[in-house]
Every structure is written in structure tokens, then in C-alpha cells.
Amino acid sequence: MDPIYITGAGVVSAIGVGKEETLTSLREGLTGISKMKYLHSIHEELPVGEVKLSNEEMLELLGVAYEPRLSRTALIGRLALREALREASLEGDILNEVHFISATTVGGMDRRELYHADEPHCDSMFASIATHQCATSTEMTAEPFGEFASLSTLSTACSSATNAIITGANMLRCGLADIVVVGGSECLSKFHLNGFNALMILDHHQCRPFDKDRAGLNLGEGAAYLVMETSASVKKRGVTPLCVLSGYGNACDAFHQTASSPEGEGAFLAMQEALNVAGLNPDDIQYINAHGTGTVNNDESESQAIKRLFGDKIPAVSSTKSFTGHTTSASGSIEAVFCILALQNQFLPPNINWQTPMDNGIVPVTDTCPPSEIKHILSNAFGFGGNDSSIILSKTGS
């Protein structure tokens, strides 16, 4: 099977703007979860993982003037997309041959909330409504870089960005594209925060994935995009791959609207399919970047799924949501970039804030030093309704 190469990556989250800042935070265990600053909510007791830039500062970094229609989702997305395109040397007319697949659920909700409260003039209200849709966020994210061959938007809750990666991979494998840019962007909004708060799954302290005393998740925001290409395209353009997308899988157990099944059926099937596509065995995986939200349900369910698949030979496991918060629709691509950094720099992202083992659960890694060379990484992203997805990233030549 022709390999799928990743030739560029860009990331923005609470722990950094760009891969360099992100790598430093991951290696030094520096969380980005803190008291909210840019989201204006009465629920100040809830810590969040905000990108440490105001909208005005992002506009300045991007070199664009203020426009009422520009959502925070689009601004964060533009920063991540710019880094990915630059690393892959994708500029100018070649974008006419590149397909862009972006994931989001919040979309332009932040603009709608801003204007709704102030009973604005018709023009302002029209601008907020017109930018509300998820697909509009994709258009605004892509807009300054040129004309892409196509734009697509995916929204499957917290597995959205990983499903964007899988969709792009299928396009490459089916001959529908030679180059795709895939990932997702998500900003925080009041609707976002209040929805999860109503489910009573938000921790009032920094989250503690896989800890016996975990009390829920922290919400975060961010964006990440990957440039993926066929081997023929890589050879034609003369670019150097960062790694290989070797496997991917999606399953939906439809157990519950928001909860995962106790035995982690969907998670198990998604991971198993990813291994099958990659032609790998469970003992070929050196590290698992877990979905690991810090909720009681997810961490129990994911633990059972991992134990079912890997038996008594469980590789190093950690959740990086204790760094960024749960970035929901963008989490799969953000954590894919974390995995690429781990592959390139041969370290394990630690599960910070963890202290006490769960009963019959996973014991995550807190040390960055891998026991052996990291060649294959499995990354999980699980969404509401049991829409569960997994990908495997591998070193080139492995």
C-alpha cells in the first residue's frame, strides 16, 4: 500500500503558538490551563486552556486588519495553517491542487454571542449570523492563503479533527487528491462552556486524567493542521516527510449520547482497525496518546479498551489534555502534532497532574524518557455518540 506522508504541521494551543513553543512546554511539563482571561463568563471558577493571545494580538501576528466577521476560531486556525503550509513549502498556485478539510463544532459562536448580548444594528447582526456556521469558519481560515481545490468541513464532536485526517487519507488512497491539508480549529465560547458545565463534567481544578481522584475535564481551545501527500507528490516536489500516517480507524458503538460504553467497544474497534490498516501488531506500538479527558467515564472506558487490545503488554500511555484542556473538535489534530514532535525528538509527553492510580485502570507515564526507540504512536480521539477514531503515526522507514 502506498504510504501517506506528512510533510508539514502547524499547531496553536494553550501551551504555545507554533511547534517550537509547544515542544518546550511538553518537554518541561508546563501546563497552559489557568483562570480564564479572554472568554467572558460568570463561571470564573472554571479553569480553561486558552490560547495566550487576544484577537487583536492574533490579527497583528497575521498582519490583517480587524473585521467584525472574523471569529476567534478562524484566527487561531489561520496561525496553525500558516505554519503547516510554510513547513510543507505550499504557497502560490499549487494550492489550486490542494484540498483543505477542517473540523470544528463551535465555528463562529463567539461572534454570535458578542452581538446577541448588545442588540446590535442590522449590519452587525448579519455579520455575526453569516459567520456562525462551521463551514464559514473553514472558509475564513483558508481565505488569505489562496484558492484551494476544495474546502470541506467535518463536525463529529471530539473526534472531528481525527476524522478530517482519516477523510484526507481516504482521498489520497482513492486517487482523489495528491495533497490534502487536514485538521481542525476550535475556540472557547459561552455556549461551549455552559454546555459541558450542564453535563457536570468540568473540573474546578486542573484536570487529572487517569487519576483515581479525577473530577472531570477542563475545556481548551486551539488549532492544528497537517499536510499529507502521496509518495509520488513527495518525490515530485522534493520535500522531506516528517513522518508517515500508517494506520487509521473509526467505529461508532452508539452506546449513549455522551457516555462511552463500560468496556470501551468503540474505542477498541477503532484502535484495532488502525493497527490492521497499518499492518502492525499491538506490541509494535511504543506510545499511546490517549483521549484521556479526565472524566470518570472516559478514563475507565478507555482503560478497558486499551487493556483488551494490548493485554499485559501495554505501551507507555499519557493524556496531554492536562496541558491544553480538552480542545474538543480540534483535539485530534493538535495531539497528532504532539505525537509528531514525540517521534521526531524521541520523548514521551508526560501525564502531568497525575498522582494516584485508578482501580483497575491505566497507569500513565510521568517521565519523558522512553524505554526504547519510538517508532509507532497510536493517538485516540473519541466523540459524543461513540464516534471513536484512532490514527497511527510512524517514523519514515519503520
Side-chain angles (χ1 to χ4, degrees):
M1 190 179 292
D2 191 43
I4 294 173
Y5 290 109
I6 296 173
T7 57
V11 65
V12 176
S13 73
I15 59 171
V17 176
K19 291 195 293 182
E20 185 176 347
E21 290 183 8
T22 300
L23 177 60
T24 298
S25 296
L26 288 172
R27 300 197 79 158
E28 296 183 8
L30 304 175
T31 185
I33 297 170
S34 61
K35 183 180 175 65
M36 68 180 69
K37 178 179 180 181
Y38 302 109
L39 177 64
H40 301 293
S41 169
I42 62 172
H43 293 293
E44 295 182 353
E45 75 279 6
L46 298 171
V48 291
E50 292 180 304
V51 172
K52 304 300 186 286
L53 293 169
S54 67
N55 287 10
E56 292 73 23
E57 288 169 328
M58 284 191 278
L59 287 166
E60 185 176 349
L61 280 176
L62 290 163
V64 296
Y66 170 77
E67 294 182 57
R69 69 189 185 93
L70 280 177
S71 66
R72 188 169 174 87
T73 296
L75 292 174
I76 295 170
R78 285 184 182 187
L79 288 171
L81 180 57
R82 182 174 67 176
E83 183 180 29
L85 293 177
R86 284 178 175 175
E87 183 169 45
S89 300
L90 284 181
E91 296 177 299
D93 292 341
I94 192 174
L95 288 182
N96 292 323
E97 304 171 15
V98 178
H99 299 263
F100 182 49
I101 307 169
S102 186
T104 189
T105 299
V106 169
M109 181 69 74
D110 62 317
R111 303 306 303 175
R112 179 63 175 272
E113 291 174 346
L114 179 64
Y115 287 107
H116 179 72
D118 296 334
E119 297 185 6
H121 298 297
C122 292
D123 289 346
S124 297
M125 178 56 79
F126 177 77
S128 70
I129 294 173
T131 60
H132 179 96
Q133 298 182 64
C134 293
T136 307
S137 290
T138 299
E139 293 172 359
M140 288 192 296
T141 298
E143 188 177 76
F145 302 100
E147 293 290 334
F148 285 86
S150 70
L151 302 177
S152 301
T153 306
L154 279 177
S155 187
T156 58
C158 303
S159 59
S160 298
T162 300
N163 285 336
I165 293 171
I166 293 173
T167 301
N170 285 331
M171 289 182 70
L172 295 175
R173 286 266 159 85
C174 293
L176 297 176
D178 295 318
I179 308 173
V180 294
V181 181
V182 295
S185 181
E186 195 94 294
C187 79
L188 286 167
S189 70
K190 294 178 183 178
F191 177 84
H192 202 186
L193 187 75
N194 292 339
F196 276 84
N197 198 30
L199 293 172
M200 296 183 287
I201 55 173
L202 294 182
D203 198 335
H204 288 216
H205 303 281
Q206 289 186 8
C207 66
R208 294 149 282 166
F210 298 110
D211 192 284
K212 182 178 181 179
D213 299 319
R214 65 198 182 283
L217 60 87
N218 306 133
L219 279 176
E221 62 182 1
Y225 292 102
L226 309 176
V227 178
M228 304 197 307
E229 308 187 40
T230 63
S231 57
S233 176
V234 168
K235 184 177 180 180
K236 177 182 176 181
R237 298 202 312 118
V239 293
T240 302
L242 306 177
C243 65
V244 176
L245 176 68
S246 57
Y248 47 90
N250 170 266
C252 188
D253 64 12
F255 173 76
H256 187 270
Q257 288 180 320
T258 58
S260 302
S261 60
E263 68 279 3
E265 183 67 15
F268 172 81
L269 292 173
M271 291 188 290
Q272 186 178 61
E273 183 182 359
L275 285 170
N276 290 340
V277 170
L280 296 174
N281 297 313
D283 56 7
D284 291 320
I285 302 297
Q286 286 79 41
Y287 168 60
I288 301 173
N289 182 278
H291 188 57
T293 60
T295 64
V296 172
N297 174 252
N298 175 91
D299 294 3
E300 288 180 352
S301 177
E302 189 170 10
S303 289
Q304 295 311 308
I306 290 172
K307 292 169 75 172
R308 285 176 64 193
L309 186 59
F310 290 89
D312 58 358
K313 295 183 179 179
I314 297 173
V317 181
S318 72
S319 169
T320 48
K321 288 180 174 63
S322 46
F323 284 91
T324 63
H326 189 358
T327 54
T328 54
S329 290
S331 62
S333 56
I334 289 173
E335 290 165 23
V337 176
F338 294 172
C339 293
I340 292 171
L341 292 172
L343 272 176
Q344 290 181 312
N345 297 277
Q346 290 295 299
F347 77 100
L348 297 172
N351 200 113
I352 58 176
N353 300 332
W354 182 87
Q355 290 185 320
T356 309
M358 294 168 50
D359 296 332
N360 198 32
I362 293 298
V363 176
V365 295
T366 56
D367 187 357
T368 61
C369 297
S372 61
E373 182 184 8
I374 303 174
K375 295 182 179 180
H376 305 285
I377 293 177
L378 174 70
S379 185
N380 290 332
F382 307 145
F384 284 163
N387 192 317
D388 300 333
S389 296
S390 300
I391 59 172
I392 297 175
L393 299 168
S394 303
K395 290 185 69 175
T396 54
S398 296

